[in-house]
Amino acid sequence: QSALTQPRSVSGSPGQSVTISCTGTSSDVGTYNFVSWYQQHPGKAPKVLIYDVNRRPSGVPDRFSGSKSDNTASLTISGLQAEDEADYYCCSFAGSYTFVFGGGTKLTVL
Amino acid sequence: QVLLQESGPGLVRPSETLSLTCTVSGGSLSTYQWSWIRQSPGKGLEWIGNIHYSGNTNYNPSLKSRLTISVDTSKNHFSLNLSFVTAADTAVYFCARRGSGTSINWFDPWGQGTLVTVSS
């Protein structure tokens, strides 16, 4: 069970869109539509943004969207805002009731 | 609103057992599944394991031989025991609920996390 692969960092200017990728394998992302995304500000607990690939919990702005193609899931943040600067983690169901997280991506808002 | 709170020693000696409890308030522990997740300093998140309120468990294969997760519905809390710890087990430990309703393969809400340092 290896960690999902995310870029270490991405950046964008306010108002722009950024996409964070999350690459797994046919044993996790490629097989199950159970990818979730989390936002974590320094010193805080992670907060869910997306679940089941592209579903948003109530209260999460529609600027956050998710998608998946083959073994790679993606989180897109549109209309970047200063408060979006944080770490982002993907997570996938990996069969046998287990889960695997990505290594995390640091988003810098320029 | 369901709230989760981790508690336990902040310092554990090498080779000993790390023990944490997650207390659930604002709702019943029954009906849902619950998880432990950790984050080593400056690193990413690592799923540790799940427990159903009935007591059924699922563990990260890399930790399974040292890990026990249990639940006490009468106290509305669940617990983590990780034996034979080393410095590599130093991390912030989070508890979380595993989803809700018909979709359970995500984690929300989370506790605030508790730092456990393994050191002599």
PDB file of all heavy atoms in Angstrom, chain B residues 11-44:
ATOM      1  N   LEU B  11       3.913  11.962  25.734  1.00  0.00           N
ATOM      2  CA  LEU B  11       5.268  11.410  25.654  1.00  0.00           C
ATOM      3  C   LEU B  11       5.221   9.923  25.984  1.00  0.00           C
ATOM      4  O   LEU B  11       4.647   9.522  26.998  1.00  0.00           O
ATOM      5  CB  LEU B  11       6.189  12.129  26.631  1.00  0.00           C
ATOM      6  CG  LEU B  11       7.643  11.662  26.683  1.00  0.00           C
ATOM      7  CD1 LEU B  11       8.336  11.937  25.353  1.00  0.00           C
ATOM      8  CD2 LEU B  11       8.379  12.348  27.825  1.00  0.00           C
ATOM      9  N   VAL B  12       5.797   9.133  25.109  1.00  0.00           N
ATOM     10  CA  VAL B  12       5.850   7.690  25.305  1.00  0.00           C
ATOM     11  C   VAL B  12       7.289   7.240  25.088  1.00  0.00           C
ATOM     12  O   VAL B  12       7.958   7.721  24.164  1.00  0.00           O
ATOM     13  CB  VAL B  12       4.912   6.952  24.316  1.00  0.00           C
ATOM     14  CG1 VAL B  12       4.964   5.440  24.555  1.00  0.00           C
ATOM     15  CG2 VAL B  12       3.481   7.450  24.457  1.00  0.00           C
ATOM     16  N   ARG B  13       7.747   6.324  25.916  1.00  0.00           N
ATOM     17  CA  ARG B  13       9.129   5.842  25.783  1.00  0.00           C
ATOM     18  C   ARG B  13       9.220   4.775  24.692  1.00  0.00           C
ATOM     19  O   ARG B  13       8.272   4.014  24.461  1.00  0.00           O
ATOM     20  CB  ARG B  13       9.611   5.272  27.109  1.00  0.00           C
ATOM     21  CG  ARG B  13       9.620   6.296  28.236  1.00  0.00           C
ATOM     22  CD  ARG B  13      10.351   5.791  29.471  1.00  0.00           C
ATOM     23  NE  ARG B  13      10.233   6.735  30.586  1.00  0.00           N
ATOM     24  CZ  ARG B  13      10.928   7.862  30.678  1.00  0.00           C
ATOM     25  NH1 ARG B  13      11.787   8.191  29.731  1.00  0.00           N
ATOM     26  NH2 ARG B  13      10.768   8.645  31.718  1.00  0.00           N
ATOM     27  N   PRO B  14      10.350   4.699  24.027  1.00  0.00           N
ATOM     28  CA  PRO B  14      10.552   3.670  22.994  1.00  0.00           C
ATOM     29  C   PRO B  14      10.302   2.282  23.561  1.00  0.00           C
ATOM     30  O   PRO B  14      10.630   1.998  24.715  1.00  0.00           O
ATOM     31  CB  PRO B  14      12.017   3.855  22.602  1.00  0.00           C
ATOM     32  CG  PRO B  14      12.312   5.285  22.905  1.00  0.00           C
ATOM     33  CD  PRO B  14      11.507   5.609  24.124  1.00  0.00           C
ATOM     34  N   SER B  15       9.704   1.444  22.730  1.00  0.00           N
ATOM     35  CA  SER B  15       9.356   0.051  23.016  1.00  0.00           C
ATOM     36  C   SER B  15       8.096  -0.079  23.875  1.00  0.00           C
ATOM     37  O   SER B  15       7.612  -1.195  24.074  1.00  0.00           O
ATOM     38  CB  SER B  15      10.501  -0.711  23.678  1.00  0.00           C
ATOM     39  OG  SER B  15      10.586  -0.435  25.065  1.00  0.00           O
ATOM     40  N   GLU B  16       7.556   1.026  24.365  1.00  0.00           N
ATOM     41  CA  GLU B  16       6.340   0.947  25.162  1.00  0.00           C
ATOM     42  C   GLU B  16       5.101   1.088  24.264  1.00  0.00           C
ATOM     43  O   GLU B  16       5.212   1.114  23.037  1.00  0.00           O
ATOM     44  CB  GLU B  16       6.374   2.002  26.272  1.00  0.00           C
ATOM     45  CG  GLU B  16       7.491   1.733  27.272  1.00  0.00           C
ATOM     46  CD  GLU B  16       7.412   2.607  28.506  1.00  0.00           C
ATOM     47  OE1 GLU B  16       6.674   3.616  28.479  1.00  0.00           O
ATOM     48  OE2 GLU B  16       8.106   2.271  29.487  1.00  0.00           O
ATOM     49  N   THR B  17       3.925   1.147  24.894  1.00  0.00           N
ATOM     50  CA  THR B  17       2.672   1.197  24.145  1.00  0.00           C
ATOM     51  C   THR B  17       2.064   2.585  24.182  1.00  0.00           C
ATOM     52  O   THR B  17       1.911   3.176  25.248  1.00  0.00           O
ATOM     53  CB  THR B  17       1.674   0.173  24.707  1.00  0.00           C
ATOM     54  OG1 THR B  17       2.195  -1.146  24.517  1.00  0.00           O
ATOM     55  CG2 THR B  17       0.323   0.275  23.984  1.00  0.00           C
ATOM     56  N   LEU B  18       1.727   3.076  23.019  1.00  0.00           N
ATOM     57  CA  LEU B  18       1.041   4.362  22.868  1.00  0.00           C
ATOM     58  C   LEU B  18      -0.458   4.102  22.988  1.00  0.00           C
ATOM     59  O   LEU B  18      -0.997   3.247  22.273  1.00  0.00           O
ATOM     60  CB  LEU B  18       1.385   4.929  21.488  1.00  0.00           C
ATOM     61  CG  LEU B  18       0.849   6.274  21.008  1.00  0.00           C
ATOM     62  CD1 LEU B  18       1.725   6.773  19.851  1.00  0.00           C
ATOM     63  CD2 LEU B  18      -0.594   6.196  20.563  1.00  0.00           C
ATOM     64  N   SER B  19      -1.108   4.835  23.894  1.00  0.00           N
ATOM     65  CA  SER B  19      -2.539   4.645  24.110  1.00  0.00           C
ATOM     66  C   SER B  19      -3.256   5.986  24.033  1.00  0.00           C
ATOM     67  O   SER B  19      -2.911   6.927  24.750  1.00  0.00           O
ATOM     68  CB  SER B  19      -2.801   4.010  25.476  1.00  0.00           C
ATOM     69  OG  SER B  19      -2.231   2.722  25.550  1.00  0.00           O
ATOM     70  N   LEU B  20      -4.247   6.069  23.167  1.00  0.00           N
ATOM     71  CA  LEU B  20      -5.045   7.270  23.002  1.00  0.00           C
ATOM     72  C   LEU B  20      -6.530   6.926  23.017  1.00  0.00           C
ATOM     73  O   LEU B  20      -6.918   5.824  22.632  1.00  0.00           O
ATOM     74  CB  LEU B  20      -4.712   7.970  21.679  1.00  0.00           C
ATOM     75  CG  LEU B  20      -3.300   8.527  21.510  1.00  0.00           C
ATOM     76  CD1 LEU B  20      -3.111   9.034  20.082  1.00  0.00           C
ATOM     77  CD2 LEU B  20      -3.024   9.631  22.517  1.00  0.00           C
ATOM     78  N   THR B  21      -7.335   7.907  23.431  1.00  0.00           N
ATOM     79  CA  THR B  21      -8.779   7.757  23.424  1.00  0.00           C
ATOM     80  C   THR B  21      -9.389   8.914  22.662  1.00  0.00           C
ATOM     81  O   THR B  21      -8.908  10.047  22.746  1.00  0.00           O
ATOM     82  CB  THR B  21      -9.337   7.721  24.853  1.00  0.00           C
ATOM     83  OG1 THR B  21      -8.867   6.539  25.510  1.00  0.00           O
ATOM     84  CG2 THR B  21     -10.863   7.712  24.855  1.00  0.00           C
ATOM     85  N   CYS B  22     -10.444   8.638  21.918  1.00  0.00           N
ATOM     86  CA  CYS B  22     -11.193   9.663  21.206  1.00  0.00           C
ATOM     87  C   CYS B  22     -12.615   9.668  21.758  1.00  0.00           C
ATOM     88  O   CYS B  22     -13.339   8.674  21.623  1.00  0.00           O
ATOM     89  CB  CYS B  22     -11.205   9.380  19.717  1.00  0.00           C
ATOM     90  SG  CYS B  22     -12.138  10.600  18.745  1.00  0.00           S
ATOM     91  N   THR B  23     -12.996  10.772  22.375  1.00  0.00           N
ATOM     92  CA  THR B  23     -14.332  10.893  22.944  1.00  0.00           C
ATOM     93  C   THR B  23     -15.232  11.644  21.977  1.00  0.00           C
ATOM     94  O   THR B  23     -14.875  12.725  21.495  1.00  0.00           O
ATOM     95  CB  THR B  23     -14.282  11.619  24.294  1.00  0.00           C
ATOM     96  OG1 THR B  23     -13.447  10.868  25.191  1.00  0.00           O
ATOM     97  CG2 THR B  23     -15.671  11.744  24.894  1.00  0.00           C
ATOM     98  N   VAL B  24     -16.394  11.075  21.727  1.00  0.00           N
ATOM     99  CA  VAL B  24     -17.361  11.650  20.801  1.00  0.00           C
ATOM    100  C   VAL B  24     -18.446  12.363  21.607  1.00  0.00           C
ATOM    101  O   VAL B  24     -19.036  11.780  22.515  1.00  0.00           O
ATOM    102  CB  VAL B  24     -17.991  10.551  19.923  1.00  0.00           C
ATOM    103  CG1 VAL B  24     -19.024  11.142  18.982  1.00  0.00           C
ATOM    104  CG2 VAL B  24     -16.895   9.820  19.144  1.00  0.00           C
ATOM    105  N   SER B  25     -18.713  13.605  21.278  1.00  0.00           N
ATOM    106  CA  SER B  25     -19.771  14.359  21.934  1.00  0.00           C
ATOM    107  C   SER B  25     -20.706  14.961  20.889  1.00  0.00           C
ATOM    108  O   SER B  25     -20.322  15.128  19.728  1.00  0.00           O
ATOM    109  CB  SER B  25     -19.191  15.471  22.816  1.00  0.00           C
ATOM    110  OG  SER B  25     -18.431  16.373  22.032  1.00  0.00           O
ATOM    111  N   GLY B  26     -21.917  15.246  21.306  1.00  0.00           N
ATOM    112  CA  GLY B  26     -22.893  15.836  20.389  1.00  0.00           C
ATOM    113  C   GLY B  26     -23.579  14.816  19.502  1.00  0.00           C
ATOM    114  O   GLY B  26     -24.301  15.190  18.567  1.00  0.00           O
ATOM    115  N   GLY B  27     -23.329  13.546  19.763  1.00  0.00           N
ATOM    116  CA  GLY B  27     -23.946  12.503  18.967  1.00  0.00           C
ATOM    117  C   GLY B  27     -23.513  11.147  19.476  1.00  0.00           C
ATOM    118  O   GLY B  27     -22.561  11.043  20.270  1.00  0.00           O
ATOM    119  N   SER B  28     -24.173  10.113  19.013  1.00  0.00           N
ATOM    120  CA  SER B  28     -23.850   8.766  19.456  1.00  0.00           C
ATOM    121  C   SER B  28     -22.769   8.132  18.597  1.00  0.00           C
ATOM    122  O   SER B  28     -22.728   8.304  17.387  1.00  0.00           O
ATOM    123  CB  SER B  28     -25.107   7.890  19.401  1.00  0.00           C
ATOM    124  OG  SER B  28     -24.777   6.554  19.694  1.00  0.00           O
ATOM    125  N   LEU B  29     -21.903   7.398  19.268  1.00  0.00           N
ATOM    126  CA  LEU B  29     -20.842   6.677  18.557  1.00  0.00           C
ATOM    127  C   LEU B  29     -21.444   5.517  17.761  1.00  0.00           C
ATOM    128  O   LEU B  29     -20.872   5.088  16.751  1.00  0.00           O
ATOM    129  CB  LEU B  29     -19.827   6.180  19.583  1.00  0.00           C
ATOM    130  CG  LEU B  29     -18.607   5.461  19.099  1.00  0.00           C
ATOM    131  CD1 LEU B  29     -17.423   5.802  19.997  1.00  0.00           C
ATOM    132  CD2 LEU B  29     -18.839   3.966  19.121  1.00  0.00           C
ATOM    133  N   SER B  30     -22.577   5.037  18.232  1.00  0.00           N
ATOM    134  CA  SER B  30     -23.249   3.954  17.523  1.00  0.00           C
ATOM    135  C   SER B  30     -23.777   4.449  16.183  1.00  0.00           C
ATOM    136  O   SER B  30     -24.062   5.613  15.994  1.00  0.00           O
ATOM    137  CB  SER B  30     -24.400   3.403  18.370  1.00  0.00           C
ATOM    138  OG  SER B  30     -23.905   2.890  19.588  1.00  0.00           O
ATOM    139  N   THR B  31     -23.923   3.560  15.271  1.00  0.00           N
ATOM    140  CA  THR B  31     -24.403   3.835  13.914  1.00  0.00           C
ATOM    141  C   THR B  31     -23.266   4.109  12.937  1.00  0.00           C
ATOM    142  O   THR B  31     -23.386   3.796  11.764  1.00  0.00           O
ATOM    143  CB  THR B  31     -25.397   5.020  13.846  1.00  0.00           C
ATOM    144  OG1 THR B  31     -26.425   4.846  14.777  1.00  0.00           O
ATOM    145  CG2 THR B  31     -25.979   5.137  12.438  1.00  0.00           C
ATOM    146  N   TYR B  32     -22.171   4.676  13.399  1.00  0.00           N
ATOM    147  CA  TYR B  32     -21.115   5.067  12.469  1.00  0.00           C
ATOM    148  C   TYR B  32     -19.859   4.197  12.613  1.00  0.00           C
ATOM    149  O   TYR B  32     -19.745   3.361  13.483  1.00  0.00           O
ATOM    150  CB  TYR B  32     -20.727   6.524  12.699  1.00  0.00           C
ATOM    151  CG  TYR B  32     -21.821   7.498  12.343  1.00  0.00           C
ATOM    152  CD1 TYR B  32     -22.584   8.100  13.344  1.00  0.00           C
ATOM    153  CD2 TYR B  32     -22.091   7.823  11.018  1.00  0.00           C
ATOM    154  CE1 TYR B  32     -23.588   8.994  13.031  1.00  0.00           C
ATOM    155  CE2 TYR B  32     -23.092   8.717  10.693  1.00  0.00           C
ATOM    156  CZ  TYR B  32     -23.834   9.306  11.706  1.00  0.00           C
ATOM    157  OH  TYR B  32     -24.827  10.195  11.390  1.00  0.00           O
ATOM    158  N   GLN B  33     -18.909   4.470  11.723  1.00  0.00           N
ATOM    159  CA  GLN B  33     -17.577   3.906  11.822  1.00  0.00           C
ATOM    160  C   GLN B  33     -16.614   5.036  12.146  1.00  0.00           C
ATOM    161  O   GLN B  33     -16.858   6.184  11.805  1.00  0.00           O
ATOM    162  CB  GLN B  33     -17.173   3.226  10.504  1.00  0.00           C
ATOM    163  CG  GLN B  33     -18.074   2.077  10.117  1.00  0.00           C
ATOM    164  CD  GLN B  33     -17.534   1.287   8.951  1.00  0.00           C
ATOM    165  OE1 GLN B  33     -16.348   1.000   8.860  1.00  0.00           O
ATOM    166  NE2 GLN B  33     -18.430   0.918   8.041  1.00  0.00           N
ATOM    167  N   TRP B  34     -15.501   4.689  12.774  1.00  0.00           N
ATOM    168  CA  TRP B  34     -14.581   5.687  13.315  1.00  0.00           C
ATOM    169  C   TRP B  34     -13.157   5.311  12.950  1.00  0.00           C
ATOM    170  O   TRP B  34     -12.835   4.139  12.786  1.00  0.00           O
ATOM    171  CB  TRP B  34     -14.767   5.785  14.827  1.00  0.00           C
ATOM    172  CG  TRP B  34     -16.208   6.048  15.163  1.00  0.00           C
ATOM    173  CD1 TRP B  34     -17.182   5.108  15.362  1.00  0.00           C
ATOM    174  CD2 TRP B  34     -16.847   7.324  15.262  1.00  0.00           C
ATOM    175  NE1 TRP B  34     -18.390   5.723  15.577  1.00  0.00           N
ATOM    176  CE2 TRP B  34     -18.216   7.080  15.528  1.00  0.00           C
ATOM    177  CE3 TRP B  34     -16.395   8.639  15.144  1.00  0.00           C
ATOM    178  CZ2 TRP B  34     -19.133   8.111  15.689  1.00  0.00           C
ATOM    179  CZ3 TRP B  34     -17.315   9.667  15.313  1.00  0.00           C
ATOM    180  CH2 TRP B  34     -18.669   9.399  15.580  1.00  0.00           C
ATOM    181  N   SER B  35     -12.312   6.334  12.826  1.00  0.00           N
ATOM    182  CA  SER B  35     -10.967   6.103  12.299  1.00  0.00           C
ATOM    183  C   SER B  35      -9.899   6.830  13.096  1.00  0.00           C
ATOM    184  O   SER B  35     -10.176   7.830  13.767  1.00  0.00           O
ATOM    185  CB  SER B  35     -10.888   6.584  10.840  1.00  0.00           C
ATOM    186  OG  SER B  35     -11.846   5.940  10.032  1.00  0.00           O
ATOM    187  N   TRP B  36      -8.678   6.307  12.983  1.00  0.00           N
ATOM    188  CA  TRP B  36      -7.489   6.989  13.473  1.00  0.00           C
ATOM    189  C   TRP B  36      -6.590   7.285  12.281  1.00  0.00           C
ATOM    190  O   TRP B  36      -6.396   6.420  11.408  1.00  0.00           O
ATOM    191  CB  TRP B  36      -6.730   6.132  14.486  1.00  0.00           C
ATOM    192  CG  TRP B  36      -7.395   6.033  15.829  1.00  0.00           C
ATOM    193  CD1 TRP B  36      -8.149   4.993  16.305  1.00  0.00           C
ATOM    194  CD2 TRP B  36      -7.351   7.011  16.872  1.00  0.00           C
ATOM    195  NE1 TRP B  36      -8.584   5.270  17.582  1.00  0.00           N
ATOM    196  CE2 TRP B  36      -8.104   6.501  17.955  1.00  0.00           C
ATOM    197  CE3 TRP B  36      -6.741   8.260  17.019  1.00  0.00           C
ATOM    198  CZ2 TRP B  36      -8.259   7.210  19.155  1.00  0.00           C
ATOM    199  CZ3 TRP B  36      -6.900   8.957  18.204  1.00  0.00           C
ATOM    200  CH2 TRP B  36      -7.659   8.420  19.259  1.00  0.00           C
ATOM    201  N   ILE B  37      -6.037   8.474  12.257  1.00  0.00           N
ATOM    202  CA  ILE B  37      -5.159   8.951  11.189  1.00  0.00           C
ATOM    203  C   ILE B  37      -4.026   9.713  11.875  1.00  0.00           C
ATOM    204  O   ILE B  37      -4.262  10.402  12.860  1.00  0.00           O
ATOM    205  CB  ILE B  37      -5.938   9.869  10.221  1.00  0.00           C
ATOM    206  CG1 ILE B  37      -7.047   9.070   9.526  1.00  0.00           C
ATOM    207  CG2 ILE B  37      -5.002  10.501   9.179  1.00  0.00           C
ATOM    208  CD1 ILE B  37      -8.172   9.917   8.963  1.00  0.00           C
ATOM    209  N   ARG B  38      -2.809   9.587  11.359  1.00  0.00           N
ATOM    210  CA  ARG B  38      -1.707  10.306  11.996  1.00  0.00           C
ATOM    211  C   ARG B  38      -0.911  11.103  10.980  1.00  0.00           C
ATOM    212  O   ARG B  38      -0.985  10.858   9.775  1.00  0.00           O
ATOM    213  CB  ARG B  38      -0.792   9.355  12.760  1.00  0.00           C
ATOM    214  CG  ARG B  38       0.048   8.428  11.894  1.00  0.00           C
ATOM    215  CD  ARG B  38       0.903   7.512  12.775  1.00  0.00           C
ATOM    216  NE  ARG B  38       1.764   6.642  11.974  1.00  0.00           N
ATOM    217  CZ  ARG B  38       2.614   5.769  12.500  1.00  0.00           C
ATOM    218  NH1 ARG B  38       2.720   5.633  13.829  1.00  0.00           N
ATOM    219  NH2 ARG B  38       3.357   5.014  11.711  1.00  0.00           N
ATOM    220  N   GLN B  39      -0.122  12.044  11.492  1.00  0.00           N
ATOM    221  CA  GLN B  39       0.683  12.916  10.641  1.00  0.00           C
ATOM    222  C   GLN B  39       2.014  13.163  11.338  1.00  0.00           C
ATOM    223  O   GLN B  39       2.077  13.861  12.353  1.00  0.00           O
ATOM    224  CB  GLN B  39      -0.045  14.239  10.401  1.00  0.00           C
ATOM    225  CG  GLN B  39       0.653  15.182   9.451  1.00  0.00           C
ATOM    226  CD  GLN B  39      -0.241  16.357   9.075  1.00  0.00           C
ATOM    227  OE1 GLN B  39      -1.041  16.842   9.876  1.00  0.00           O
ATOM    228  NE2 GLN B  39      -0.127  16.804   7.831  1.00  0.00           N
ATOM    229  N   SER B  40       3.066  12.573  10.795  1.00  0.00           N
ATOM    230  CA  SER B  40       4.402  12.790  11.333  1.00  0.00           C
ATOM    231  C   SER B  40       4.814  14.235  11.093  1.00  0.00           C
ATOM    232  O   SER B  40       4.355  14.862  10.140  1.00  0.00           O
ATOM    233  CB  SER B  40       5.404  11.847  10.678  1.00  0.00           C
ATOM    234  OG  SER B  40       5.040  10.504  10.905  1.00  0.00           O
ATOM    235  N   PRO B  41       5.671  14.779  11.960  1.00  0.00           N
ATOM    236  CA  PRO B  41       6.060  16.195  11.841  1.00  0.00           C
ATOM    237  C   PRO B  41       6.533  16.548  10.433  1.00  0.00           C
ATOM    238  O   PRO B  41       7.452  15.928   9.896  1.00  0.00           O
ATOM    239  CB  PRO B  41       7.189  16.326  12.869  1.00  0.00           C
ATOM    240  CG  PRO B  41       6.870  15.294  13.888  1.00  0.00           C
ATOM    241  CD  PRO B  41       6.298  14.129  13.118  1.00  0.00           C
ATOM    242  N   GLY B  42       5.889  17.535   9.844  1.00  0.00           N
ATOM    243  CA  GLY B  42       6.273  17.996   8.521  1.00  0.00           C
ATOM    244  C   GLY B  42       5.958  17.038   7.398  1.00  0.00           C
ATOM    245  O   GLY B  42       6.393  17.253   6.260  1.00  0.00           O
ATOM    246  N   LYS B  43       5.196  15.997   7.693  1.00  0.00           N
ATOM    247  CA  LYS B  43       4.907  14.976   6.678  1.00  0.00           C
ATOM    248  C   LYS B  43       3.417  14.923   6.360  1.00  0.00           C
ATOM    249  O   LYS B  43       2.614  15.708   6.860  1.00  0.00           O
ATOM    250  CB  LYS B  43       5.373  13.607   7.193  1.00  0.00           C
ATOM    251  CG  LYS B  43       6.857  13.534   7.501  1.00  0.00           C
ATOM    252  CD  LYS B  43       7.696  13.495   6.257  1.00  0.00           C
ATOM    253  CE  LYS B  43       9.175  13.369   6.546  1.00  0.00           C
ATOM    254  NZ  LYS B  43       9.493  12.094   7.224  1.00  0.00           N
ATOM    255  N   GLY B  44       3.065  13.948   5.531  1.00  0.00           N
ATOM    256  CA  GLY B  44       1.683  13.788   5.117  1.00  0.00           C
ATOM    257  C   GLY B  44       0.869  12.943   6.079  1.00  0.00           C
ATOM    258  O   GLY B  44       1.337  12.531   7.140  1.00  0.00           O
TER     259      GLY B  44
END
